[in-house]
Amino acid sequence: MDIFLTLAYLFFIGSVAGWVLELLFRNLTSRNKKWVNPGFCTGPYVPLYGFGLCILYLLASLEQYSLIENPFWNKAVLFLAMAVCMTLIEYVAGVLCLKVFKVRLWDYSNLWGNVQGIICPLFSFFWAVLGAVYYFLIHPYILNALHWLSQNLAFSFFIGMFFGVFIIDVAHSAQLVVKLKKFAEEHQVVANYEAIKNHIRNAKHLKNYKYRFFSPFRSDSPLAEHLKEMYETFEKQRKKRTGVNS
C-alpha cells in the first residue's frame, strides 16, 4: 500500500484515539470532574497523537532490522526509542507554540525534572508505557486494518473527508491563536490556553453563559475582555506576592 495513504490512515486513528485518551485522563485527574474538550482544535482530534502513532508504527516496523540479538533488550531499546521520539514531538510542538505563538497548550511546570514546563520524566515514562501498549496490543491489529484498507480503497474517501474538515478546523483555531498571540505580545506574557478556557467557563459575571464543549472560547463577552480580566488578576496576585503597591 502507498506509504502516504498508510500514514494518513494512522494519523486519523491516532488523532481521534488520542483525543479520547486525553478526554478521559483530564476528567479523571481534574478536581472539578468536568468534561473539557482537550487540545488545540475544535473537533474530536489531537494532532500530536496522530503524528505520534505514525512514529510508533514506523519504529515498530523497523524491528525486523534489529541489530540486537537478545529479544528482551531489543524490545527495551525499541520502547526507549518510542519514548524519546514521542517526547521529542511533544517538545518541538510545545516550543513552537511558546516561541512563535506565545501560547502554552499544556504545563508541566509543577512536575519534577520538567524542561520549560513542556516535557518531564513522568510523561516520558507514560510515553514508553504507551509505546509498549501499542506494540503488544495495537500494532498487530493496525497491520490487519491496513491490509483491509488495501482491499477497500473506497475507505480512502472517508480519510479525505476527515483531512478536509481537519484543515478547516486548524485554520479556524489558528485565528484564535493569532488573537492570543497579539494579546501576549502586547502585555509581554505567555497565554495559557487551558487557563483561558477555564476562566471563561468559570466567569461569574456571565449569568446566562452555557459551557459549549466544542466551542469553549465562545461567550457573551468578547475574548479580549476575558484576557484583560485574567491579566489584571495575574498582576494583582504578582504585586501581592512581591509586596508592590498598586
Side-chain angles (χ1 to χ4, degrees):
M1 182 191 300
D2 182 76
I3 187 63
F4 177 78
L5 183 58
T6 298
L7 294 179
Y9 181 57
L10 292 172
F11 182 86
F12 162 70
I13 294 177
S15 297
V16 176
W19 182 86
V20 174
L21 184 63
E22 282 281 338
L23 184 67
L24 296 175
F25 177 79
R26 295 190 185 206
N27 179 261
L28 293 174
T29 58
S30 175
R31 293 180 180 179
N32 53 27
K33 300 299 179 181
K34 291 184 178 179
W35 295 101
V36 178
N37 185 15
F40 159 76
C41 297
T42 300
Y45 32 73
V46 178
L48 178 67
Y49 285 89
F51 288 114
L53 183 58
C54 292
I55 294 298
L56 293 180
Y57 168 78
L58 293 174
L59 288 175
S61 299
L62 291 176
E63 188 185 24
Q64 57 182 314
Y65 306 107
S66 173
L67 299 178
I68 303 176
E69 295 183 0
N70 188 301
F72 173 82
W73 289 111
N74 181 49
K75 288 182 173 55
V77 171
L78 176 64
F79 300 150
L80 177 62
M82 288 178 173
V84 170
C85 288
M86 293 296 293
T87 301
L88 183 60
I89 292 175
E90 189 176 32
Y91 182 75
V92 171
V95 168
L96 180 66
C97 291
L98 275 177
K99 301 301 182 182
V100 178
F101 302 111
K102 308 299 180 183
V103 174
R104 181 181 291 278
L105 295 180
W106 61 86
D107 191 359
Y108 301 152
S109 298
N110 61 333
L111 296 178
W112 175 82
N114 75 87
V115 179
Q116 298 176 269
I118 300 174
I119 58 175
C120 67
L122 177 61
F123 276 83
S124 293
F125 170 74
F126 287 158
W127 288 131
V129 172
L130 190 62
V133 170
Y134 166 80
Y135 178 83
F136 289 111
L137 302 180
I138 300 176
H139 188 64
Y141 298 100
I142 287 288
L143 296 178
N144 292 334
L146 293 175
H147 175 72
W148 177 87
L149 183 61
S150 67
Q151 304 298 320
N152 299 270
L153 292 179
F155 189 73
S156 61
F157 175 75
F158 177 77
I159 299 297
M161 289 182 59
F162 162 77
F163 276 97
V165 173
F166 173 73
I167 292 173
I168 294 174
D169 193 340
V170 170
H172 176 267
S173 300
Q175 295 178 4
L176 173 62
V177 172
V178 170
K179 294 179 181 179
L180 297 179
K181 178 183 179 183
K182 181 180 179 181
F183 180 87
E185 290 177 339
E186 289 177 353
H187 296 81
Q188 297 182 344
V189 296
V190 173
N192 190 310
Y193 202 79
E194 294 301 324
I196 296 171
K197 286 198 296 187
N198 290 333
H199 174 81
I200 295 175
R201 183 181 61 198
N202 299 322
K204 295 181 180 179
H205 65 280
L206 298 178
K207 298 180 179 179
N208 298 321
Y209 174 67
K210 183 178 180 181
Y211 175 67
R212 301 175 178 87
F213 182 79
F214 287 110
S215 301
F217 286 90
R218 289 184 59 188
S219 73
D220 298 332
S221 300
L223 177 62
E225 289 188 17
H226 291 291
L227 295 175
K228 183 180 179 181
E229 289 175 5
M230 289 190 64
Y231 178 74
E232 291 176 349
T233 301
F234 171 79
E235 282 296 296
K236 289 179 180 179
Q237 293 174 347
R238 182 185 65 82
K239 290 178 180 179
K240 185 177 181 180
R241 288 195 305 268
T242 58
V244 178
N245 294 324
S246 55

